[in-house]
Amino acid sequence: MKKLVCLVLAVMMTLGLAACAGAEFKFERKIDIICPWGVGGGADSTIRPMASLLSDILGVPVEVVNVEGASGVNGVEYTYKQPADGYTFMLGTQSLFMQDMSGTTSMDFKTEFKPVDVLVHSINIIAASKKSMDKYGVTNWEELSKYIEEHPYEVSVGMLSATGVDGASLGQTIADLMIQEIPYSSGSEVNSALVGGHCDLAITGTDEVAGLVESGDIVPILALCENRMKLYPEMQCSGELGIESYMGPWRGIFCKEGTPQEAIDAMVAAIEEARQKPEWQEFLKNAAYDERAVPSVEELPEFAHNEYKALRDYMSEMGTLTKDYEDLK
């Protein structure tokens, strides 16, 4: 009899453990998503509509907390100090990879944080001043490239940061072309210079210059992607010209290492559900974020590694690599 009771208890415990293992993780309180950049910027404008959808899906408040400064590093440091309990996530981009390898973070970002899901992967474009295009007598990137080869350092490009992702993207594009780089402190300054013909080119996102393209003051001249964009079908792309430059800003959700896998899985499931909502689809279309597919969760580790490697190689070439990782060499 005693053996029978023990057997019954053992079976009940086994069934109970199986039920617990199969139970879906449920968030019980507010979730914070740290945005390492300011309110109203591209990163903030991406995470807020997603956070609203996640709140509805998960049944708890999902709050965006802006911790700006130091090119995103302040937000990383703040997130790092929070407990890895599944209630704090962070919005991140590959620019944080560069901050890591610049040695500006107190931790090894590559090993202390991991990407959870990518929300958007946008396409960088090279935009040209209409006045400059007319002055040089060119209509597309092929023609402009030939002009630059024949007139070294005559053509200029406005830059916010030569050491950022945009700088890396531009560096891959122009290769050996000799272009004069002009520093600016903001995107609005670059756009004003383009309109006035004070600089010839800029690397940017389509959402940042859409109004000026529509007015005819700025001409989209090269998309850094595999195929031509639906938004600007007349614009050439790097893929068709054999230019090995496809890097575009992407924004994804990260978590601190040690975050419970159950919480990560629940967040990913909610993000994937939110992707199908009409509100998110409309957001993607309006910002031209629907032009490029994002990596799946299964593809994410390899995707992140390749991004790290490409940026590591660029920084090494530029002489800005301070912290290296063995698996990237």
Side-chain angles (χ1 to χ4, degrees):
M1 181 68 178
K2 187 175 181 180
K3 289 183 177 179
L4 179 60
V5 171
C6 290
L7 179 61
V8 170
L9 289 173
V11 171
M12 291 177 65
M13 288 178 64
T14 301
L15 291 174
L17 289 172
C20 289
E24 184 178 343
F25 181 89
K26 183 172 177 59
F27 291 101
E28 301 291 346
R29 55 183 171 84
K30 177 175 71 73
I31 301 166
D32 287 337
I33 299 181
I34 312 305
C35 178
W37 298 277
V39 176
D44 180 75
S45 299
T46 298
I47 191 56
R48 288 191 179 274
M50 175 56 72
S52 178
L53 293 171
L54 291 176
S55 183
D56 292 339
I57 293 168
L58 295 172
V60 296
V62 177
E63 181 178 337
V64 177
V65 180
N66 296 88
V67 183
E68 58 185 300
S71 300
V73 174
N74 287 353
V76 172
E77 298 290 351
Y78 176 87
T79 307
Y80 189 59
K81 293 175 182 176
Q82 309 310 306
D85 57 4
Y87 286 88
T88 302
F89 291 85
M90 184 186 74
L91 184 73
T93 74
Q94 69 265 59
S95 65
L96 299 181
F97 296 0
M98 300 186 78
Q99 292 295 337
D100 179 23
M101 292 184 288
S102 296
T104 55
T105 58
S106 66
M107 83 300 294
D108 290 339
F109 183 84
K110 187 173 185 294
T111 56
E112 294 296 334
F113 284 85
K114 63 179 180 180
V116 171
D117 210 340
V118 174
L119 303 181
V120 298
H121 190 186
S122 60
I123 295 171
N124 265 338
I125 68 168
I126 293 182
S129 164
K130 179 62 167 62
K131 290 184 177 180
S132 298
M133 295 275 283
D134 292 342
K135 179 174 68 175
Y136 299 135
V138 299
T139 60
N140 58 39
W141 179 257
E142 275 187 301
E143 294 174 358
L144 181 61
S145 296
K146 291 177 182 177
Y147 184 91
I148 294 171
E149 289 175 356
E150 296 168 359
H151 303 82
Y153 296 115
E154 182 178 335
V155 176
S156 62
V157 57
M159 290 294 299
L160 299 184
S161 173
T163 59
V165 172
D166 286 352
S169 186
L170 179 68
Q172 291 178 333
T173 305
I174 62 175
D176 297 325
L177 294 177
M178 297 179 183
I179 296 181
Q180 178 187 2
E181 295 182 4
I182 302 177
Y184 289 92
S185 60
S186 69
S188 59
E189 283 191 16
V190 176
N191 291 346
S192 296
L194 281 174
V195 171
H198 307 299
C199 78
D200 304 313
L201 304 172
I203 187 162
T204 182
T206 56
D207 53 335
E208 298 175 51
V209 294
L212 294 172
V213 170
E214 187 175 348
S215 69
D217 294 307
I218 289 178
V219 180
I221 192 170
L222 182 69
L224 307 185
C225 55
E226 297 77 4
N227 302 296
R228 291 198 180 197
M229 296 180 67
K230 294 178 292 184
L231 182 63
Y232 301 123
E234 301 302 317
M235 175 172 52
Q236 293 179 320
C237 68
S238 55
E240 69 181 286
L241 298 179
I243 301 171
E244 292 294 320
S245 179
Y246 307 108
M247 191 180 297
W250 54 265
R251 300 176 184 127
I253 302 296
F254 287 72
C255 70
K256 187 177 172 182
E257 192 64 46
T259 300
Q261 188 60 47
E262 296 84 356
I264 295 173
D265 292 342
M267 177 58 73
V268 169
I271 292 172
E272 295 306 309
E273 183 177 341
R275 289 191 199 280
Q276 310 307 317
K277 299 291 185 181
E279 302 95 318
W280 184 252
Q281 294 295 320
E282 185 67 18
F283 166 73
L284 295 179
K285 181 180 178 181
N286 291 339
Y289 290 147
D290 61 344
E291 296 271 0
R292 171 178 270 166
V294 298
S296 67
V297 175
E298 293 75 23
E299 296 168 333
L300 191 49
E302 182 180 1
F303 173 81
H305 176 83
N306 290 340
E307 289 284 289
Y308 246 113
K309 180 70 168 64
L311 291 169
R312 180 262 175 204
D313 292 347
Y314 168 76
M315 293 175 69
S316 177
E317 184 179 337
M318 293 291 292
T320 58
L321 184 68
T322 301
K323 183 200 298 182
D324 206 351
Y325 289 101
E326 197 62 36
D327 64 333
L328 299 179
K329 294 180 181 178

